[in-house]
Amino acid sequence: MTQKKRYVKNAYLIVFSIVFFCGVVTSLALYHEEKQHLMLDENIATEQFITRLKDALAQYGREVAGVAIMVQSMDEPLTNPIFQRASRQLESTEKNNTLRVYFAKYVPHSQRDTYVTQQQGLAGLSAFQITPSEIRKEYLPLTYGYPFFTNPGFDLLSDTYSNRDVIQQIRSYQGFEMSELPTFSSEGVKQKTRSFALRRSIYIPLDNIKNRVTDEFGFYGIVGIIFEVNGLVRQLNVPGIRGVAYRIADITEGSQTPVWFADSRTDININAEHISHWEKGHFNTTNIYYGGRNWRVDTRNSSDLLGLIDWTLILGALILFTLLALLLSWYVRLLSNAYNQTLLLANEKIEIDGLTGLYSRYKIQKELDELIKTCELNANKLVVFFLDLDHFKTINDAFGHETGDKLLVKVAQRLKSVLPDKAIIGRLGGDEFLVLMVLDDKKACVFLERLCREVILQISQSYFVEGGTLNIGCSIGAALYPDYGQDAETLIKNADMAMYEAKSAGRATYYFYDGAMGARISRNMRIETRLRYALQNSLLELHFQPKVDLNTKECVGMEALLRWEDSELGTVSPMEFIPIAEQSGIILMLGEWVFEQTFKHLVIWKEQGVQVPPIAINCSAAQLKRPNFLSHLLSLLDKYQIDPSLLEIEVTESILIEDAKGCAELLRQVSKLGIKLAIDDFGTGYSSLSYLKDLPFHYVKIDQVFIRDFMEDSDHDALTRAIINLSHDLNLKVIAEGITRVDQMERLREYGCDIGQGYLFSKALGANSMASDPMIVALNEKQGDSFDG
């Protein structure tokens, strides 16, 4: 409970933490989504860049091939005007102003002078010479160029040319080759360049050479495009939401440490600082193979990831959730304060009984739990008193609940005055009270008994309520800790059981729970459980005890008696299980079962040809109180087609006391059916002569309590004789039960008793032994003789 209160107290912090946590999770999810979106944009931009780069190189290749095919298809030697016109038509030269187209013509040594003279005749080339000037077998000098011409006459087959091997390779077949071009400073020192040349050889078919100069295989020259990488990239014009950064390296030779010749982040020479910048983050790498060269292209977002993320949405979500967390936690704290105040008021109400001012049921049980813990630590004893007012319902019904409540208030005040100061008093509800008291070692049972007597005495004193005087008593049950209960539930239960024992003992008394009571109650509970089981599984039996005419010694009736042999409990006497059945309500089902079984036996005996006298069935007060008793009885008579004259019903006086008027009408209707009625156990209860005078009884049954010792007890003898004489005066026959001796029978006959029942004549017979019983046999023989006569 303490932990629960702590949670309620800190509920606003819990709410703030949960909502703020949701905000953090939402922001992280948005960050992750934004990061994934940026990476997707990066991949898309990379694909666009690579695709356009490949398309641009392929476009260069197609244009070089176009020029080569044009030259091959001409019937005349290629001239500068024709080359210029064809180059101007190339699309790439319009997109990339750094692009240059050139043509290098094959010249054998025998045609060198003629070629030089021809070139010197062109405008602006008067000083044209093939360089280097060494004498060689053949030459491949730069002949034409567009849009401008640099190094005219430079021999591509010269040993000083760095790409001479590439030229030899491309001369040997018709295909593309791409290579990096060197440039030279004024001092002749070779420097890095960002220019590449894409070349294609031109072969003239030998049958169409005409006046064109080729080698013996028809090699006419080389056409090529020189482009700068930066100009190439600018030509791509890569679109993108946030742009893409790139760097390019030629890794044709398979170097593990590529030399970068292009980087979108700088226009100056690439140094270690720019390289390290790329190593810090994620980037994509793509290899492009074209024209015999293998380029590595690295791409990434143009800015750092953190700089590209839209922090407005991410931080906005976190701020929004934080504000929401603050608002909700503030509101929850208001609710928590209101809840705590309400709970405080509710606890005050729930802990104090609103009527009497004593502790409530909840509070007294809580106090009992605490006292048990304290007594366990200190090795003390604790007594629990369960107090119940006697006949309080009668006062409520007679004077009303308002008067009953005022009486309870006065009882509570009197309890406070009579009990010790340290006693804890609580009201469980209705007219039930619970008293707790820790015992000192010196206090013995004598003290507790004296206290119980004093409480009963004081409570039983008159009360002045609503201008009138009321009297009420109380019954007390007590249970000791730790002797007869280790926990609150067991102690209260045992004290309650002891209180009911006090009620059963006549009320206005007390009873201490002990082991014998526990065993008895445990057995009663076991009997109740097994009795229900026996009813459901038809484990009960009906036996029938004959009733004998004391004058003729003939069997004139039988009484149906229940017998129960249980597999666990053994033989259980009706004297033991019938009261339990009445208390638990099983008596209703039990009574219906007895009626049903009696009717079934009557049908079976009739089918067997056995004539039996009327069968008497004991009927409990609970059965007679049921509204459907008569209708159920009529349905059984109709179902089994039983003659009502074969039935007798025995009722006790107690039902007549509780509802004399209602029972009188019911019994008159039953009597009209032809069923005889007997009043059972006459003389043991609150007997009234009016029962015998006003109700349609046929028999009065004297209880065996009087018969057992009336031979020795003059009082019982006098009562027995009086009951017989009174019954005869009212035209009622008398049945005496429990006759076990001949002298008892003789005296009863002397007094005029009509019928006897008991072991002297016969024990109760099983249903299957009825046909062989001497009394039944004699009865059937007599009926047969009478019929024959």
Side-chain angles (χ1 to χ4, degrees), residues 204-269:
I204 306 297
L206 296 178
D207 57 355
N208 192 31
I209 290 179
K210 297 183 181 181
N211 58 348
R212 290 177 287 189
V213 178
T214 66
D215 64 3
E216 65 272 21
F217 301 106
F219 176 65
Y220 183 66
I222 291 177
V223 63
I225 290 181
I226 298 175
F227 60 89
E228 293 181 5
V229 174
N230 290 342
L232 169 65
V233 174
R234 285 194 299 269
Q235 175 187 345
L236 303 181
N237 189 24
V238 180
I241 298 176
R242 296 180 176 86
V244 63
Y246 64 86
R247 62 178 180 177
I248 306 174
D250 191 334
I251 57 172
T252 304
E253 305 301 330
S255 173
Q256 296 299 321
T257 55
V259 178
W260 308 99
F261 56 75
D263 192 327
S264 61
R265 290 177 172 269
T266 179
D267 291 331
I268 61 175
N269 291 336

Side-chain angles (χ1 to χ4, degrees), residues 118-250:
Q118 179 184 357
Q119 290 298 105
Q120 289 177 350
L122 297 176
L125 295 178
S126 57
F128 181 84
Q129 292 293 333
I130 294 177
T131 57
S133 58
E134 289 86 356
I135 302 299
R136 292 178 291 281
K137 180 180 178 180
E138 52 187 359
Y139 308 91
L140 190 62
L142 295 173
T143 303
Y144 306 125
Y146 177 84
F148 58 90
F149 197 22
T150 58
N151 296 325
F154 180 75
D155 184 8
L156 299 183
L157 296 178
S158 169
D159 293 338
T160 62
Y161 185 46
S162 60
N163 289 324
R164 183 175 183 275
D165 294 338
V166 177
I167 298 299
Q168 292 291 0
Q169 290 177 5
I170 199 172
R171 178 181 176 181
S172 63
Y173 66 94
Q174 288 185 331
F176 294 108
E177 286 289 346
M178 186 170 63
S179 63
E180 186 180 357
L181 295 180
T183 57
F184 297 89
S185 64
S186 57
E187 291 82 8
V189 180
K190 185 177 180 180
Q191 294 181 336
K192 290 289 180 182
T193 182
R194 298 178 183 175
S195 298
F196 282 81
L198 182 63
R199 310 176 184 88
R200 182 184 176 92
S201 60
I202 302 174
Y203 277 83
I204 306 297
L206 296 178
D207 57 355
N208 192 31
I209 290 179
K210 297 183 181 181
N211 58 348
R212 290 177 287 189
V213 178
T214 66
D215 64 3
E216 65 272 21
F217 301 106
F219 176 65
Y220 183 66
I222 291 177
V223 63
I225 290 181
I226 298 175
F227 60 89
E228 293 181 5
V229 174
N230 290 342
L232 169 65
V233 174
R234 285 194 299 269
Q235 175 187 345
L236 303 181
N237 189 24
V238 180
I241 298 176
R242 296 180 176 86
V244 63
Y246 64 86
R247 62 178 180 177
I248 306 174
D250 191 334

